[in-house]
Every structure is written in C-alpha cells, then in structure tokens.
C-alpha cells in the first residue's frame, strides 16, 4: 500500500470514528432530554382576566388572551381527550358541562374511568348516574366529618395501565415503557363556579414522581372506600 492510499485510508477511518462519536453524542442528548412529549408542565390560571376577551368572542374577532376562559377549559378537555387507557379522578364537586362531556367522550372510547367524589346534590347525582351507565365506576366517602376535598386527576397512571393490560393478557413491558402518565391538580373543582367565577389554578404535568404519588393516594382511597357490606349504588364495578 503506497503512502497516498495509506493517508486516504487513515482519513476515512478518522472521519468514520468522529462521525460515530457525534452520533453517540446526539443519542445521549436525545436520551437525556427525551422527546417533547415526555416532560410537559403548564399552569392554568382562572381569574378576572379570563373574561377580558368576551367582546372579541361576541364579535367574532380573534382572541389572543392567554388567560381566556374558553382556552383554559378546552386545555383541560384536551388532556382528558389524550387519555389512552384510564382516568382516575378525585374531585369534591363535578358539574361543568364541558368537563363532563370530555369524560363521556373518554368512556365512549373505552377509557376506564374511576371517580371518587364527595358532593351529591341532585344535579350531580343525575350526572353520576349517567356516567355509571356509560361504564364509569364511582365511589364516595361515608358521611363523616372528613370531606373528600381533593381536586386531582391522574391520566394513564402506570399502576392502573399495568393492571388493565394484564387483565387483557397483554405483554405490557413495552407498552408500560412508552406510557406517559399525566396529572391535573389544583384548587379548582370542575364546576362553573370554580372555573368561571373564582380565583383558581390548575397544574398540568407529566412529572413521573408527581403522577406516581397522586396515583398511590388515589389507589389508597379507592381501596379504603370499598365496603362489601355497604349498599351503595355508587359502588358498581370491581375495577
């Protein structure tokens, strides 16, 4: 092999090595940062600014209000619509039509909905009855001095998804790895009063630790509220 060929071979080998190092570096970055959907955090504020764009909606103008009430509620609906397997909702009160419709849509797609709720006014009892007929399982705490005052939702929690997949006899290892739990939690009940006329906030996050802790608390409550001797129409499903 002459000198020129040796140099050419050496340069090609060096270029290939550098190229491979760059590829590995990029792969490390991808693994470290993850895809854009893996980590997502957002805070929705419900305040007096939510209604500052009403005149634009009434006149058909484009709304650019980041606190727009329509935007905030639709954002919460979008999170429900993203569910792939399950929704675990612990809420004091539920009456906002837009959020109830989102739950109906989820149930129609075969999403498993578990709901723990405290309030039992007449209108909510009608809503809960309809949700149960669509496949939801609803439980409520006994009438004690302790109110179920949580306001959080776990979408596609790892434990719940794993449970559902195993019941379907699915190989869950890869599906669990690709699953991305999402939580919504804050000060707001899913009522018109809290979302439309009060100061509240809702945090949306895919933080895995936060999702795991909220899911653990929901599962604890779900087991705690299971009473085989309780003749309660709210407890209708074993799942």
């Amino acid at each position: 092999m002459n000198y020129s060929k040796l140099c050419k071979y050496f340069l090609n080998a060096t270029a290939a090595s550098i190229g491979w190092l760059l590829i590995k570096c990029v792969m490390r970055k991808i693994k470290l940062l993850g895809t854009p959907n893996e980590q997502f955090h957002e805070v929705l504020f419900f305040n007096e600014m939510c209604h500052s764009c009403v005149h634009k909606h009434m006149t058909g103008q484009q709304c650019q209000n980041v606190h727009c009430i329509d935007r905030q509620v639709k954002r919460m609906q979008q999170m429900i619509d993203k569910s792939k397997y399950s929704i675990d909702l612990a809420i004091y009160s539920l009456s906002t039509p837009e959020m109830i419709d989102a739950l109906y849509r989820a149930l129609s797609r075969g999403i498993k909905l578990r709901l723990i709720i405290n309030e039992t006014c007449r209108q909510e009892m009608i809503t809960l009855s309809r949700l149960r007929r669509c496949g939801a399982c609803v439980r409520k705490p006994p009438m004690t001095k302790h109110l179920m005052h949580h306001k959080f939702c776990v979408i596609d929690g790892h434990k719940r998804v794993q449970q559902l997949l195993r019941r379907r006899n699915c190989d869950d290892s890869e599906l669990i790895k690709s699953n991305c739990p999402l939580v919504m939690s804050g000060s707001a009940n899913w009522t018109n009063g809290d979302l439309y006329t009060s100061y509240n906030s809702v945090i949306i996050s895919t933080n895995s630790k936060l999702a795991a802790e909220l899911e653990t608390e929901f599962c604890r409550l779900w087991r705690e509220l299971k009473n085989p001797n309780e003749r309660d129409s709210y407890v209708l499903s074993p799942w």
Side-chain angles (χ1 to χ4, degrees):
M1 182 181 293
N2 58 34
Y3 179 74
S4 61
K5 288 184 178 180
L6 183 62
C7 289
K8 186 176 181 180
Y9 175 81
F10 177 76
L11 290 173
N12 287 339
T14 303
S17 298
I18 293 174
W20 176 239
L21 287 173
L22 288 173
I23 290 173
K24 288 201 294 184
C25 182
V26 171
M27 292 301 291
R28 287 196 197 99
K29 288 289 186 181
I30 292 174
K31 186 176 182 180
L32 178 64
L33 298 177
T35 60
N37 293 328
E38 283 183 346
Q39 286 296 314
F40 172 81
H41 314 286
E42 184 176 356
V43 182
L44 306 179
F45 292 103
F46 298 85
N47 50 41
E48 78 283 356
M49 293 185 289
C50 289
H51 305 284
S52 62
C53 53
V54 172
H55 65 287
K56 290 191 176 181
H57 291 276
M58 296 179 64
T59 56
Q61 300 180 53
Q62 184 177 3
C63 175
Q64 297 181 341
N65 179 13
V66 296
H67 297 289
C68 172
I69 187 63
D70 287 348
R71 175 193 176 278
Q72 309 295 60
V73 174
K74 285 179 181 177
R75 193 66 177 143
M76 293 176 66
Q77 286 181 297
Q78 288 172 358
M79 300 302 107
I80 298 295
D81 291 337
K82 284 184 176 182
S83 59
K84 295 180 180 179
Y85 302 98
S86 65
I87 299 171
D88 287 339
L89 173 61
I91 198 85
Y92 176 77
S93 186
L94 171 67
S95 62
T96 304
E98 293 86 348
M99 298 309 299
I100 294 171
D101 287 344
L103 294 177
Y104 283 137
R105 288 196 299 272
L107 289 167
S108 70
R109 292 187 290 112
I111 303 301
K112 296 298 185 182
L113 169 62
R114 296 189 298 186
L115 172 60
I116 299 175
I117 188 167
N118 193 87
E119 195 68 23
T120 55
C121 68
R122 178 174 175 79
Q123 185 56 47
E124 282 189 344
M125 292 177 69
I126 294 173
T127 297
L128 297 178
S129 178
R130 290 173 178 171
L131 287 171
R132 292 198 304 272
R133 287 200 297 269
C134 291
C137 187
V138 185
R139 293 180 182 176
K140 64 185 182 73
M143 297 299 290
T144 68
K145 62 181 180 180
H146 298 291
L147 294 177
M148 207 306 298
H149 213 246
H150 282 310
K151 303 168 186 69
F152 70 82
C153 177
V154 181
I155 298 172
D156 295 334
H158 276 318
K159 293 179 182 177
R160 183 63 171 147
V161 171
Q162 191 172 42
Q163 179 189 53
L164 293 173
L165 290 175
R166 286 179 177 173
R167 289 182 180 180
R168 298 174 190 173
N169 295 319
C170 295
D171 182 6
D172 61 2
S173 56
E174 291 302 319
L175 291 173
I176 288 294
K177 287 180 182 178
S178 62
N179 182 54
C180 184
L182 181 145
V183 297
M184 289 193 287
S185 181
S187 60
N189 282 299
W190 293 6
T191 65
N192 288 344
D194 275 15
L195 296 180
Y196 287 87
T197 62
S198 301
Y199 289 93
N200 280 298
S201 60
V202 173
I203 296 172
I204 303 172
S205 177
T206 55
N207 181 274
S208 57
K209 187 175 186 299
L210 181 63
E213 292 189 6
L214 286 173
E215 183 180 21
T216 297
E217 172 61 11
F218 184 93
C219 291
R220 185 195 68 79
L221 278 171
W222 192 254
R223 291 190 301 268
E224 185 72 19
L225 296 177
K226 183 178 180 180
N227 185 352
N229 299 319
E230 181 183 14
R231 298 186 61 184
D232 189 345
S233 61
Y234 285 85
V235 185
L236 295 180
S237 171
W239 55 261

